[in-house]
Amino acid sequence: MIASVSERFDWIASDKRPRRVGVLGGTFDPVHVGHLAMADAARIELGLDAVLFVPTAGSAFKEGAVVASPEQRLSWCREAVRDNAYFDASGVDIERGGRTRTVDTLRDLHGFFGDHVRLFFIMGSDAARELHRWADSPTLSSLASFAVVPRAGHPFGAREISERGLDAFDFVLLEDAVMDVSSTMVRKRLASGGSMRYFVPAAVAELIGRDDPYRPVEQAHPSDEVFGPEFELRIVSELERRVSPRRLRHIRGVADMAERLARTYGVDPRRARLAGLLHDWDKGLDDDGVRRRVFDLGLDIDGRMVFDMPALLHGPTAAEALRRAYPGVPSDVLQAVGRHTAGACGMSDLDMVVYVADAIEENRSFAGVQDLRDLIGEVSLEKLFFRTYRHILADLIARRKRIHPRTVEVWNSYVLDNRD
């Protein structure tokens, strides 16, 4: 059993009187006024005796999961709640370490406080709609009540509870909506030179300004160096840890094919090879892992892709994680990495090279792959991309797979100009 969860509220465990404790979990990267407003709305409406802000330990993958360290985020939370006697910050998830799961958070808090304390997990209606997908949801539903704060565009009520199979959860629907502020918004403002004023508490802004975790780091690998053999060896060494030997053979094949296509179609072969090496950076993650990656990185991705088509996510997550981990990698290379799973309207030549290389590298053996390889140099790069895209789309339809609307948009944007 853990020895402490909160300097301010540990006494509640031994009080033995019925108490109501709110729990607000998240990365808090950084904590902002929207978090505080949400916690206060829940405290007032539910008559909570205390609210604990519980920062996550972060992703199981150390690079790019969050920008600020766990210790920084915990210290910011403590500073943000210092002047509110009903609030405190808890390091219970950070002390546990590893990947944070809400079911573990609530299990630890329930075990510490005891049965006389009723826990209320505070969350927005956007997150509440997906609770049935969270890890160990049957156990999760037994550990706390769930206080749902309305979020614009995310209705939540009896209909959503029934349709999503959430009847086992004890929901309390709050009336107060919260201000539309996100940690991603704050980080983007800082990255573009904007101000944090009125978005984060003044004391927290002072700490962020002192620690400066969001300042772009010095480029350890200037652009010229990321194209060199030393950097490739470093990437391959890291990939050996991240993916299976079979996946690594595929990655090497994509790098070789991308370089060949680039030389044929007048694209920078160094950029093509680098993008090929990096394209499956996050392919070692399972579905839950890549979904968590999306949330940890603060990516704005359509929920249909996140929850229904996770196989498409490893491109966008890799692009953002690599941007943070290796600032010297050019933006057009990262764009090609991000677009290699679902494609995009207005693909650049490099985007198309990587997309095609991923489909037809020498280790691929599906029916028709050699026909596509035979087109190299015989048709334009755009036509080769379109033929490849058409083959993949037809395969999805034949296997009765769900098709994301973006896939249809890409098809429509290219089909008129590529009629055989």
Side-chain angles (χ1 to χ4, degrees):
M1 179 176 170
I2 54 179
S4 174
V5 300
S6 160
E7 291 182 4
R8 188 171 277 176
F9 299 122
D10 275 356
W11 62 269
I12 290 178
S14 57
D15 183 56
K16 300 307 179 184
R17 296 172 57 189
R19 298 286 181 180
R20 298 158 74 89
V21 174
V23 181
L24 184 62
T27 54
F28 298 111
D29 191 25
V31 61
H32 54 68
V33 293
H35 295 132
L36 297 169
M38 179 184 291
D40 203 47
R43 181 192 69 80
I44 293 170
E45 288 195 44
L46 299 175
L48 301 178
D49 297 289
V51 177
L52 293 177
F53 286 60
V54 187
T56 62
S59 169
F61 301 89
K62 64 180 181 180
E63 99 294 344
V66 288
V67 175
S69 70
E71 293 74 21
Q72 285 174 321
R73 293 181 286 111
L74 179 58
S75 71
W76 297 344
C77 285
R78 285 176 172 156
E79 191 62 41
V81 304
R82 187 180 303 279
D83 294 334
N84 190 321
Y86 290 97
F87 293 171
D88 197 12
S90 173
V92 62
D93 282 344
I94 291 172
E95 291 166 9
R96 186 189 320 106
R99 177 180 297 178
T100 295
R101 304 190 314 163
T102 299
V103 67
D104 297 327
T105 306
L106 293 178
R107 185 184 287 115
D108 284 351
L109 293 176
H110 185 272
F112 179 83
F113 284 119
D115 292 335
H116 66 284
V117 173
R118 181 179 177 186
L119 299 177
F120 291 83
F121 190 81
I122 304 165
M123 63 197 317
S125 57
D126 52 339
R129 290 164 62 93
E130 306 301 335
L131 262 177
H132 59 296
R133 302 181 187 274
W134 289 26
D136 198 0
S137 61
T139 301
L140 187 65
S141 67
S142 70
L143 292 170
S145 298
F146 291 79
V148 180
V149 180
R151 295 291 299 271
H154 301 279
F156 190 80
R159 176 179 176 181
E160 286 75 23
I161 291 171
S162 176
E163 288 180 347
R164 294 167 183 268
L166 298 171
D167 303 272
F169 288 83
D170 178 28
F171 289 109
V172 182
L173 308 183
L174 306 184
E175 295 181 0
D176 265 357
V178 297
M179 56 190 70
D180 190 14
V181 181
S182 71
S183 296
T184 302
M185 177 191 301
V186 175
R187 293 195 302 271
K188 286 182 177 179
R189 287 180 64 84
L190 289 172
S192 63
S195 170
M196 290 180 287
R197 191 176 186 184
Y198 306 124
F199 288 88
V200 302
V204 176
E206 184 177 344
L207 289 178
I208 293 174
R210 185 191 68 194
D211 298 337
D212 208 5
Y214 303 117
R215 179 186 62 219
V217 298
E218 293 293 326
Q219 289 192 4
H221 307 281
S223 293
D224 286 345
E225 291 185 16
V226 300
F227 300 123
E230 294 83 3
F231 188 72
E232 179 167 332
L233 286 173
R234 179 177 179 178
I235 291 300
V236 170
S237 177
E238 177 65 13
L239 286 168
E240 288 174 343
R241 184 183 69 82
R242 300 176 68 89
V243 301
S244 68
R246 179 179 180 183
R247 176 60 53 181
L248 184 56
R249 285 195 299 274
H250 164 71
I251 291 171
R252 288 180 180 275
V254 173
D256 291 343
M257 178 59 74
E259 185 174 359
R260 174 188 170 188
L261 290 169
R263 296 186 185 282
T264 301
Y265 290 106
V267 178
D268 186 341
R270 301 181 308 162
R271 279 173 156 75
R273 182 169 188 83
L274 180 59
L277 283 171
L278 297 174
H279 82 288
D280 272 354
W281 187 255
D282 273 356
K283 191 63 174 178
L285 301 176
D286 60 15
D287 287 353
D288 286 340
V290 77
R291 290 188 186 108
R292 177 57 56 189
R293 185 77 140 160
V294 169
F295 299 133
D296 286 344
L297 292 169
L299 296 179
D300 184 13
I301 295 180
D302 182 356
R304 290 170 295 185
M305 184 183 293
V306 173
F307 294 108
D308 296 334
M309 305 173 197
L312 299 178
L313 296 174
H314 68 275
T317 62
E320 177 60 18
L322 289 162
R323 182 187 68 80
R324 300 183 188 188
Y326 302 106
V329 176
S331 59
D332 57 347
V333 171
L334 296 177
Q335 176 177 285
V337 170
R339 289 180 168 183
H340 88 272
T341 53
C345 299
M347 297 273 280
S348 72
D349 286 353
L350 181 58
D351 296 340
M352 289 189 284
V353 161
V354 176
Y355 186 94
V356 173
D358 182 37
I360 68 172
E361 59 91 7
E362 63 179 7
N363 296 294
R364 298 288 198 188
S365 59
F366 58 85
V369 66
Q370 190 57 49
D371 293 337
L372 292 173
R373 292 177 187 140
D374 290 343
L375 294 175
I376 297 173
E378 300 298 321
V379 298
S380 69
L381 176 58
E382 181 175 312
K383 188 169 288 293
L384 177 59
F385 162 72
F386 177 77
R387 295 277 189 89
T388 305
Y389 200 85
R390 183 177 67 184
H391 191 287
I392 292 173
L393 181 57
D395 179 65
L396 291 173
I397 294 171
R399 292 189 292 130
R400 302 176 67 87
K401 295 291 186 179
R402 302 183 72 173
I403 298 175
H404 194 276
R406 183 191 298 173
T407 303
V408 179
E409 291 175 6
V410 176
W411 170 262
N412 289 340
S413 72
Y414 283 96
V415 67
L416 292 179
D417 294 330
N418 288 279
R419 292 180 174 176
D420 292 333

